[in-house]
Amino acid sequence: MAQLSRDDEAFGALMGVEDAAAKSATLVHPVAGTQRVALADADGRVLAEAVRAGIDLPPFANSAVDGYAVRFADLAQEGPTRLPLAGRVAAGVDAAGSRTEGVAVRIFTGAPMPSGADTVFMQEDVVEQDGSVSLPAGLKRGANARPAGEDIAVGEPALPAGLRLRPQDVALLAALGFTDVVVRDRPRVAIFSTGDELTEPGRPLGPAAIYDANRSLLRAMVARAGAEVVDLGILRDEPRELARRLSEAAGACDLILTSGGVSTGEEDHVKAALAAAGSLAFWRIGIKPGRPVAMGMVGKAPLRTTPFIGLPGNPVAVFVTFAFVARPLIARLAGTAWRPPQALPVELGFPYRKKEGRREYVRVSLAPGADGMPVARKYERDGAGVLTSLTRTDGLVELAEPLTRIEAGALAPFYAYDGLIG
Ligand code: AMP
Ligand code: MG
């Protein structure tokens, strides 16, 4: 953390983003409960136990194309082969009775290979005439045929415990004949907004009031992170009330998230409330937008303790810190291995100056440059409160801690929004 010196002087130590995620992961344990869910409800759930294939996939050798099945041994060593056409096998038809010696069998995609046949010619390559077919030279043994168990063989590991199921995983389970799977219970995540200026949408807006955007943001992000949302509303900027509501919430959930009130202003009471209701582990992370993020526990050992993350107030800072700090922790609570979002290098279409020792995320849109490759354009109004900077852009560019000057044309990691909220 040697590079943090400049911010150290001004504000005291900043914690690196990875250190914060690692440290907070040590403070929480995966939820213990499991349940059996139907496949229709399995997407996004976390597998509680590893799954093995109970059958071969595909269960029988079959044709990958519409065409003609033959025994490779019946083909001429050189040049085309003419074989009489005998029999026809469509998908779903048992081919056990078909003769294959010295003949070609008409076959369709997904139909079982008649026994003895090992190779399929695509219909486009074959001329059928007067009850026989002319087969071109050059095909390899086994071409266009899919052996039993080619995809996955009976007994092989199919999916690991701790995997958060995606549509393709659910498809594999279905193909293997499963009707349901055992998954972990979803962690319950309580969310609060804090601030005397906040108004619930649908109510009249007072002179100094704004509508609460963060709870809607967090409800959606928490749900997409695979947790159950416990929406606890808006908290006033009143330290005793804050501490009391945090303590009440702790019994009913596995994690408490708040937004706002974690800075150093006189009306920022969340850290004090956390210290009163439990303990503060750290509160400053080297991330922009977002620097103030309070992490700690509500409740005091040896009694039950519940992890707590106090996110900043500005909506863009909430988005960024949720994506990079809260999501890894929710993943751990959910019992799944955290896979950091994937970034791809893109060319920057703008120069940038930043402070050393903190990681900055810049909202950008991608557009093709002169050579057709994507170039990142920075959104002009880049304040941490500007929500349209998130709605009108494609993702975030990451500028690493040691950087201070970045020139246009440099490459930087780009995170598409989809990967940050999945
Ligand atoms: P704070 O950290 O509480 O001082 O909040 C920083 C900024 O974020 C202020 O301009 C707040 O009005 C704004 N803010 C805080 N919470 C919310 C919220 N739930 N929805 C929209 N803006 C908020
Ligand atoms: Mg506030």
Side-chain angles (χ1 to χ4, degrees), residues 193-194 197-198 210-215 259-263 268 312-315:
S193 288
T194 73
E197 74 280 33
L198 299 181
I210 59 170
Y211 286 122
D212 179 358
N214 291 346
R215 246 164 69 244
S259 68
V262 282
S263 249
D268 293 322
N314 282 304

Side-chain angles (χ1 to χ4, degrees), residues 23-394:
K23 174 146 173 62
S24 56
T26 65
L27 299 176
V28 306
H29 304 285
V31 294
T34 63
Q35 61 192 113
R36 190 173 279 278
V37 296
L39 235 46
D41 301 317
D43 181 42
R45 302 303 300 267
V46 174
L47 268 187
E49 33 193 63
V51 174
R52 279 181 188 279
I55 57 171
D56 277 337
L57 186 64
F60 53 88
N62 68 91
S63 178
V65 297
D66 291 339
Y68 298 86
V70 301
R71 294 177 178 233
F72 187 78
D74 288 339
L75 300 176
Q77 303 277 16
E78 271 166 39
T81 308
R82 179 165 285 278
L83 290 177
L85 186 58
R88 181 177 188 280
V89 201
V93 171
D94 185 354
S98 306
R99 184 171 79 90
T100 53
E101 256 178 311
V103 300
V105 178
R106 183 74 170 117
I107 196 166
F108 299 91
T109 307
M113 293 291 285
S115 69
D118 52 14
T119 304
V120 182
F121 284 83
M122 287 169 78
Q123 62 188 20
E124 294 87 326
D125 298 338
V126 173
V127 181
E128 184 185 327
Q129 209 179 16
D130 302 331
S132 68
V133 288
S134 170
L135 308 166
L139 212 57
K140 292 207 175 75
R141 183 192 297 273
N144 301 317
R146 307 187 278 216
E150 172 191 57
D151 195 340
I152 183 167
V154 60
E156 263 183 58
L159 299 171
L163 177 73
R164 181 146 183 239
L165 295 169
R166 303 160 297 174
Q168 59 266 47
D169 303 314
V170 179
L172 179 60
L173 291 168
L176 291 171
F178 290 94
T179 57
D180 44 45
V181 278
V182 180
V183 297
R184 295 232 188 207
D185 290 345
R186 284 198 182 91
R188 291 164 57 82
V189 177
I191 57 178
F192 287 111
S193 288
T194 73
D196 287 344
E197 74 280 33
L198 299 181
T199 305
E200 193 69 23
R203 302 253 169 85
L205 204 56
I210 59 170
Y211 286 122
D212 179 358
N214 291 346
R215 246 164 69 244
S216 290
L217 176 64
L218 287 176
R219 272 196 301 261
M221 290 190 90
V222 164
R224 286 187 183 221
E228 198 177 307
V229 178
V230 183
D231 184 355
L232 295 178
I234 298 170
L235 296 179
R236 298 294 141 201
D237 288 319
E238 209 287 298
R240 301 245 290 281
E241 164 87 354
L242 277 171
R244 185 174 64 75
R245 294 291 299 278
L246 293 184
S247 301
E248 275 171 18
C253 66
D254 302 298
L255 170 67
I256 302 172
L257 290 180
T258 62
S259 68
V262 282
S263 249
T264 44
E266 275 163 46
E267 292 295 340
D268 293 322
H269 303 301
V270 169
K271 292 197 303 288
L274 177 61
S279 56
L280 180 67
F282 59 85
W283 71 278
R284 289 169 46 75
I285 299 184
I287 186 171
K288 187 187 173 188
R291 192 169 52 210
V293 176
M295 167 77 208
M297 306 298 286
V298 176
K300 296 197 177 166
L303 299 177
R304 182 195 152 108
T305 60
T306 304
F308 169 91
I309 305 179
L311 301 171
N314 282 304
V316 179
V318 174
F319 183 90
V320 170
T321 52
F322 184 90
F324 291 100
V325 182
R327 274 165 82 237
L329 195 136
I330 292 176
R332 173 146 172 92
L333 282 173
T336 186
W338 169 242
R339 279 189 301 178
Q342 281 189 335
L344 294 174
V346 299
E347 183 185 324
L348 300 184
F350 55 92
Y352 200 79
R353 303 280 169 272
K354 66 181 272 298
K355 271 195 190 164
E356 192 178 348
R358 69 185 184 192
R359 185 182 297 180
E360 294 203 16
Y361 290 99
V362 182
R363 285 141 277 163
V364 299
S365 299
L366 297 186
D371 57 0
M373 298 300 279
V375 175
R377 312 259 170 232
K378 180 175 171 300
Y379 193 76
E380 279 178 12
R381 272 158 292 143
D382 60 1
V386 180
L387 262 171
T388 50
S389 69
L390 286 176
T391 62
R392 294 179 180 163
T393 52
D394 297 321

